[in-house]
Amino acid sequence: MSNATLSPLPSADRRDVAARLREALLAASFTADGLLDLLGAPAYAALARSETVPALRATRGDTPLETLVRLFLLQQPVPHARVAEFLPVGTCVESGWLVPTGGDEIAATVDVRPYGGPDGEDWFIVSDLGCAVGGAGGIGSADEGVVLGVGGASTTLAGITVRRPVSAALDVGAGSGIQALHAARHATRVTATDLNPRALHITALTLALSAAPAAELREGSLFEPVRDDETYDLIVSNPPFVISPGARLTYRDGGMGGDDLCRSLVQGAGERLNEGGFAQFLANWQHVEGEDWQDRLRSWVPRGCDAWIVQREVQDVTQYAELWLRDAGDHRSDPAEYQARYDAWLDEFEARKVKAVGFGWITLRRTSAAEPVITVEEWPHPVEQPLGDAVLAHFERLDYLRAHDDAALLAGHFRLVEEVVQEQVGLPGAEDPEHVVLRQHRGMCRATKVDTVGAGFAGVCDGSLSAGRILDAIAQLVGEDPVRLRDRTPAQIRLLVEQGFLEPTQ
């Protein structure tokens, strides 16, 4: 269906009205913290699962905060007279934020969700009605132009994005504007693009209601709205990456065959990055019979870019189809229609020889290095968000390793990073462990096997001695030829630096 079936949106030009509404919301503690205090953790968590009954039960009173939660977050009409006591109702109706529903009640035209910024900012994410909490909840099956609010993918991308002062940032596929909102904190100029003009309108509302600088909004697919001479220090995108037959739902389906949309996005980013600039995406990719999925992703990386690609999850084609059929509410449709849609997904995968679909993060960095480094790995384990600093540190370590051959590595000084523990794995009662594992409790929370030399080396790294001198001392302790130890250990040191267990001190 067209966007005409969706409710009219508030005016995006009246930032003065958004400022007055924001002031009233804050005065009533309609914030992320206020919401948690009011609802309690169980009801608050239930919202993320698209379950609103606990929150409705927790807001049966008529305090300003309870009334606002029912109005803007739970899509409930509320008494006009009560709302008028703490909201500028007349102005909000005039500018389209509120609408009379008859019977002396008032309703919201959009959902508004309080969202806490990384430094405690009180932000508000605007979305279409029914889309502020959880996923689409099946609404997308009725309105393909719908604009969703904050979801797990949105917050994941915001958490992994490198945050440093930049001149220009680009949000491709802005949606409700959460990535543009984050970028506005550290970018002098923010440009947001989207194929859906409704999404750009809602991005403007999100920025205005969050008291963030306005972004330059451009309509079009992927990089089409970007001029050939425009480059950026940061590009982010949580694209419509779902691999589906057709493009039924604008908010999630890319409209290209297979994983071509994600590939096009990644390949097109390189030439639009300034030197040292980052492009960061969430993506899906196909696991095709007879093809290495890592090679597939390496082929996406544009020339002149380092890349770090992390696969976080893999689903077989049946799991994947069921996930997105449920997302659209198709599992609640006529059984024959559901089966036909399910068949269409499996037919598409079968035709492309796809056996599974991967999900993860893709980070590019523009580099002038003669030999860019592409790292593709699988890490499905828990991590500690936000990871932006860890992503930046990964590429800084990459630069260090690229500039240091084995001799320079042995002359270097290193320090074991904080919160790394050693685990010894072996049979109970055994004199020596079968292997030693170093484990991080911060950032990527990695674990890696090392031999006894590697464990001993890491344990004494405090920056005071060079790597070579430490190895010489270890050689003397274990009775090994120091020259041979120096020859065979740099590869292990290089791995420990690359994975963030050791950091260079000079």
Side-chain angles (χ1 to χ4, degrees):
M1 294 187 182
S2 70
N3 289 351
T5 64
L6 296 165
S7 64
L9 293 172
S11 169
D13 299 326
R14 297 291 305 274
R15 286 183 72 98
D16 59 322
V17 177
R20 289 184 61 191
L21 177 56
R22 171 183 172 81
E23 184 178 348
L25 296 178
L26 294 177
S29 297
F30 186 66
T31 63
D33 289 341
L35 203 61
L36 181 59
D37 288 342
L38 171 67
L39 302 181
Y44 189 79
L47 289 176
R49 303 190 299 271
S50 300
E51 296 291 349
T52 58
V53 172
L56 286 167
R57 291 176 61 85
T59 55
R60 287 176 286 191
D62 68 346
T63 66
L65 179 54
E66 287 171 302
T67 305
L68 289 173
V69 170
R70 294 176 72 86
L71 176 66
F72 282 119
L73 202 58
L74 302 177
Q75 305 93 51
Q76 301 293 307
V78 296
H80 182 291
R82 180 65 181 122
V83 179
E85 295 177 16
F86 46 83
L87 281 188
V89 171
T91 305
C92 287
V93 169
E94 178 192 354
S95 59
W97 288 94
L98 300 175
V99 60
T101 63
D104 296 325
E105 289 189 319
I106 204 94
T109 58
V110 289
D111 283 357
V112 176
R113 174 176 169 178
Y115 179 81
D119 290 328
E121 301 94 339
D122 288 314
W123 289 342
F124 299 96
I125 309 299
V126 179
S127 62
D128 270 313
L129 291 173
C131 297
V133 297
I139 191 171
S141 61
D143 296 298
E144 62 180 31
V146 73
V147 179
L148 302 191
V150 182
S154 303
T155 54
T156 293
L157 178 59
I160 67 173
T161 300
V162 173
R163 303 295 177 192
R164 56 181 183 167
V166 296
S167 295
L170 173 66
D171 178 10
V172 180
S176 61
I178 180 174
Q179 309 306 329
L181 180 58
H182 276 277
R185 293 178 59 250
H186 60 99
T188 303
R189 177 172 61 89
V190 176
T191 302
T193 73
D194 206 291
L195 182 64
N196 183 1
R198 189 176 182 87
L200 296 176
H201 191 130
I202 285 181
T203 290
L205 297 176
T206 290
L207 294 172
L209 197 57
S210 299
E216 184 176 357
L217 307 175
R218 300 184 190 175
E219 183 181 342
S221 177
L222 300 182
F223 296 111
E224 286 176 2
V226 178
R227 297 192 305 270
D228 291 341
D229 61 344
E230 287 181 305
T231 54
Y232 299 87
D233 307 298
L234 175 67
I235 299 173
V236 293
S237 182
N238 174 20
F241 53 66
V242 177
I243 300 171
S244 62
R248 188 160 58 105
L249 306 177
T250 305
Y251 70 87
R252 70 170 204 195
D253 299 331
M256 298 185 187
D259 51 16
D260 283 353
L261 181 133
C262 291
R263 176 184 55 79
S264 298
L265 183 63
V266 174
Q267 290 181 336
E271 63 187 5
R272 293 169 174 86
L273 281 176
N274 293 324
E275 178 69 19
F278 285 89
Q280 298 186 261
F281 316 106
L282 301 186
N284 273 178
W285 43 79
Q286 297 173 152
H287 286 232
V288 180
E289 291 180 21
E291 177 183 276
D292 186 313
W293 68 270
Q294 294 183 328
D295 289 342
R296 182 181 191 85
L297 288 171
R298 287 188 185 95
S299 74
W300 291 8
V301 178
R303 295 180 62 183
C305 287
D306 294 319
W308 183 22
I309 302 173
V310 183
Q311 180 167 273
R312 295 287 291 158
E313 184 180 1
V314 182
Q315 290 184 315
D316 67 51
V317 293
T318 59
Q319 291 175 305
Y320 188 80
E322 290 162 15
L323 169 67
W324 294 110
L325 288 167
R326 286 195 302 272
D327 173 80
D330 291 323
H331 62 305
R332 295 192 293 267
S333 66
D334 176 71
E337 183 179 342
Y338 175 76
Q339 181 176 339
R341 290 196 188 280
Y342 200 149
D343 270 330
W345 283 71
L346 297 186
D347 286 344
E348 178 86 1
F349 287 133
E350 187 175 312
R352 295 178 177 276
K353 298 184 178 180
V354 176
K355 58 184 180 180
V357 177
F359 166 81
W361 316 327
I362 298 177
T363 300
L364 307 177
R365 184 188 61 168
R366 189 78 187 174
T367 179
S368 57
E371 295 185 16
V373 175
I374 301 174
T375 302
V376 184
E377 62 175 314
E378 186 164 19
W379 188 252
H381 310 292
V383 298
E384 182 192 53
Q385 285 273 36
L387 275 169
D389 288 345
V391 172
L392 180 60
H394 168 90
F395 286 92
E396 290 174 343
R397 294 193 301 269
L398 189 154
D399 286 338
Y400 175 88
L401 292 172
R402 187 158 42 200
H404 290 73
D405 60 15
D406 286 356
L409 207 62
L410 291 173
H413 294 239
F414 302 93
R415 177 172 50 235
L416 185 69
V417 302
E418 295 180 4
E419 296 191 42
V420 171
V421 298
Q422 175 179 306
E423 300 172 359
Q424 297 188 173
V425 181
L427 293 173
E431 186 173 337
D432 295 314
E434 292 179 18
H435 58 262
V436 177
V437 173
L438 298 183
R439 187 178 301 277
Q440 302 167 351
H441 286 281
R442 300 177 68 177
M444 289 293 287
C445 300
R446 292 188 183 277
T448 190
K449 287 184 183 179
V450 292
D451 60 21
T452 53
V453 170
F457 177 86
V460 297
C461 278
D462 60 5
S464 60
L465 296 175
S466 70
R469 288 188 63 186
I470 292 173
L471 289 179
D472 290 343
I474 291 175
Q476 188 173 3
L477 281 173
V478 300
E480 187 169 340
D481 181 354
V483 175
R484 292 183 61 183
L485 195 61
R486 279 174 171 256
D487 283 345
R488 71 176 177 85
T489 307
Q492 194 168 189
I493 298 174
R494 197 170 289 276
L495 178 66
L496 291 175
V497 172
E498 179 186 344
Q499 294 195 344
F501 289 91
L502 298 175
E503 58 185 10
T505 61
Q506 54 176 276

